[in-house]
Amino acid sequence: MDCKKHTAKILIFIVSLVFIDTAMAQMPDEDKKQFEESIKWLETNLAYVYQNKSTGEWWNNNFFYNPENQEINIKNASSDVPNATDKDVYFDRIVNLKELDMASVRIDHAYSNKGRIVKGKVLHVDVIGKTKRIQKLYNGKPSFKEFFLQVSFPAANDSLFAKADQCKKHFETILQLSTKVYPAVDSLQNTNYLFDLIPGLYNGSNNSRCEIVELFPHSLELKFFRNDKLYKKSVISYDESNHHFIYWMVNVAGSSHFELNLDFENNIKLEANAENYKLIFPNSNQFSILDEGATVDYNRIGF
């Protein structure tokens, strides 16, 4: 059983890497240039040294990006003297860009010195759903996981302090572009994208919550809750033999269904011909449902 679970995890990891590579490959040149410029800005401008004047401790801050898996690493090292080659303590905080919540990116103010966070501005970014998915390393060894990132911009350094708001903009850019859906030219690739990456938990703009789970290959169950009570359930499946999608509405009276067409000209969409129903997937952490003239936006809160 353990061997099967391990094999399944490996397969999921491989599939995830395939879609990461595909998404980056399909990124238009304009977006790719913007993404790379923001990454370069962060790598250049988040490499600096500052002091916690309350303790006399010096901190080295660095930002690294791994294009092979879209992971970032915010590395902090402390020492008794600035730019020491033999650091006393160093931390790595590693996380995939797709796991960070773009809506949470903000600038806070620190009014006291505490460790690597000193008086000034602080860039703060949460993991989606505030789940502990950031791997923290202590002197190169795995430590506990965290649910937010912070970067300190000391008020004592005018040049660094002035970069906080720019940093926020560049962080928002890389998060927006790294999660944006760029449809493939092949319908099967787009189909696999939906079934492999969309499952998870979402909050709706109508105060509902949606849970999407994979029932079996090419079949998703969507359960809708309000005040923790299930009020609607549906299933979307893909008929491989006839190459079309079927939407099933399930309720106490029975079930009804209609066909959905896959459109991937601009965004990936599932749209009904005979019914006023449409699903739109602009990025991997968001989708919208148009049903009977009303649109509800759903933002991911869990994986």
Side-chain angles (χ1 to χ4, degrees):
M1 186 67 178
D2 290 339
C3 182
K4 289 182 179 179
K5 287 182 178 179
H6 181 67
T7 302
K9 288 181 178 179
I10 292 175
L11 289 174
I12 290 171
F13 175 73
I14 292 172
V15 169
S16 298
L17 287 181
V18 169
F19 280 109
I20 287 171
D21 291 341
T22 301
M24 295 303 290
Q26 291 161 190
M27 186 181 287
D29 290 341
E30 183 179 350
D31 286 359
K32 187 177 294 186
K33 181 181 178 183
Q34 189 178 8
F35 180 84
E36 290 173 349
E37 286 177 349
S38 286
I39 287 290
K40 185 177 181 180
W41 189 97
L42 292 167
E43 289 178 331
T44 301
N45 290 275
L46 295 188
Y48 55 85
V49 180
Y50 61 100
Q51 187 182 34
N52 181 328
K53 294 189 176 181
S54 297
T55 62
E57 194 172 32
W58 288 88
W59 286 92
N60 284 61
N61 188 89
N62 282 281
F63 174 97
F64 300 101
Y65 172 67
N66 185 341
E68 292 183 2
N69 55 18
Q70 281 196 286
E71 285 184 342
I72 61 170
N73 178 8
I74 293 180
K75 182 185 285 285
N76 305 107
S78 68
S79 58
D80 294 332
V81 295
N83 295 309
T85 55
D86 184 18
K87 308 296 191 302
D88 294 336
V89 173
Y90 63 93
F91 299 98
D92 296 87
R93 289 174 172 84
I94 303 169
V95 65
N96 191 288
L97 287 177
K98 292 181 182 292
E99 297 178 328
L100 296 174
D101 185 358
M102 187 174 69
S104 74
V105 182
R106 66 179 188 267
I107 298 296
D108 292 333
H109 289 269
Y111 297 101
S112 62
N113 298 321
K114 187 177 181 181
R116 65 188 179 89
I117 305 301
V118 299
K119 292 180 182 179
K121 292 181 178 180
V122 181
L123 175 77
H124 183 105
V125 187
D126 287 327
V127 173
I128 289 172
K130 294 186 177 181
T131 53
K132 294 182 178 180
R133 302 177 73 92
I134 299 171
Q135 179 61 65
K136 180 180 178 181
L137 303 180
Y138 175 78
N139 287 356
K141 296 180 180 179
S143 182
F144 55 85
K145 292 190 175 184
E146 298 178 332
F147 64 88
F148 62 87
L149 295 173
Q150 287 183 312
V151 180
S152 187
F153 294 89
N157 186 314
D158 292 341
S159 177
L160 291 177
F161 189 72
K163 291 180 179 179
D165 293 313
Q166 287 177 277
C167 181
K168 176 178 180 291
K169 291 179 181 179
H170 286 292
F171 240 97
E172 289 171 335
T173 295
I174 64 172
L175 294 186
Q176 189 267 330
L177 294 177
S178 65
T179 58
K180 188 175 179 180
V181 169
Y182 298 97
V185 296
D186 179 70
S187 62
L188 185 58
Q189 276 187 285
N190 293 307
T191 297
N192 287 334
Y193 174 86
L194 294 179
F195 288 105
D196 289 326
L197 297 185
I198 294 305
L201 296 173
Y202 298 81
N203 273 342
S205 56
N206 63 346
N207 296 317
S208 68
R209 179 170 58 87
C210 178
E211 179 182 357
I212 303 178
V213 297
E214 184 179 19
L215 295 177
F216 44 85
H218 285 171
S219 180
L220 298 175
E221 180 183 55
L222 288 74
K223 295 190 289 186
F224 297 87
F225 300 84
R226 188 172 283 117
N227 298 323
D228 294 327
K229 292 184 179 180
L230 179 68
Y231 71 90
K232 185 169 67 174
K233 184 164 66 173
S234 56
V235 174
I236 295 175
S237 60
Y238 176 63
D239 184 344
E240 296 182 57
S241 59
N242 294 311
H243 303 290
H244 63 235
F245 291 82
I246 303 174
Y247 176 88
W248 297 84
M249 174 61 73
V250 183
N251 52 47
V252 292
S255 64
S256 59
H257 69 278
F258 50 82
E259 290 188 12
L260 293 171
N261 298 314
L262 177 65
D263 182 334
F264 49 92
E265 184 177 354
N266 296 311
N267 292 313
I268 297 180
K269 302 176 185 177
L270 290 174
E271 188 171 7
N273 283 333
E275 303 288 336
N276 185 12
Y277 186 87
K278 184 188 297 184
L279 277 163
I280 306 172
F281 303 91
N283 64 63
S284 60
N285 293 324
Q286 183 187 54
F287 70 94
S288 298
I289 296 179
L290 171 63
D291 190 10
E292 297 181 350
T295 299
V296 181
D297 298 320
Y298 287 90
N299 294 294
R300 188 186 293 276
I301 59 171
F303 294 89

